[in-house]
């Protein structure tokens, strides 16, 4: 009985995926293309030379590290996006 009660409580507060609101982990609802390692505040630095800071259009002072586009402007996955204040980056959608 206690186990059932705990399950109901967790479902009601949203800590587990229950019922018709359960979402597939691959669903874009989670915003997976807008999640990732943040660029260093102030400098926009990323941890390695194969990534660049993709500045967010909604908040140009923040960005996410994304793979750099190739010199020919292509990406192994996603699209090569240009940005006014940084190098082109690869991503599924424009940040």
């Amino acid at each position: 009985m206690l186990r059932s009660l705990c399950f109901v409580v967790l479902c009601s507060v949203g800590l587990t995926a229950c019922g018709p609101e359960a979402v597939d982990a691959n669903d874009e609802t989670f915003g997976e293309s807008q999640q990732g390692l943040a660029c260093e505040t102030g400098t926009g630095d990323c941890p390695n030379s194969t990534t660049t800071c993709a500045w967010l259009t909604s908040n140009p002072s923040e960005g996410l590290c994304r793979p750099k586009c190739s010199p020919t402007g292509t990406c192994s996955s996603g699209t090569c996006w240009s940005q006014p204040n940084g190098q082109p980056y690869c991503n599924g959608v424009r940040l």
Side-chain angles (χ1 to χ4, degrees), residues 10-92:
L10 289 176
C11 285
S12 66
V13 294
L15 296 176
T16 61
C18 303
E21 285 90 34
V23 179
D24 182 15
N26 293 325
D27 192 340
E28 191 58 32
T29 303
F30 287 128
E32 68 185 30
S33 63
Q34 294 182 329
Q35 295 179 5
L37 184 64
C39 306
E40 186 174 315
T41 304
T43 64
D45 289 340
C46 288
N48 61 51
S49 62
T50 61
T51 58
T52 188
C53 190
W55 299 100
L56 303 176
T57 53
S58 61
N59 186 354
S61 64
E62 294 181 6
L64 299 174
C65 294
R66 291 292 182 252
K68 291 180 181 179
C69 295
S70 74
T72 60
T74 59
C75 299
S76 59
S77 66
T79 303
C80 184
W81 300 99
S82 61
Q83 52 184 347
N85 58 341
Q87 295 181 339
Y89 64 93
C90 297
N91 203 42

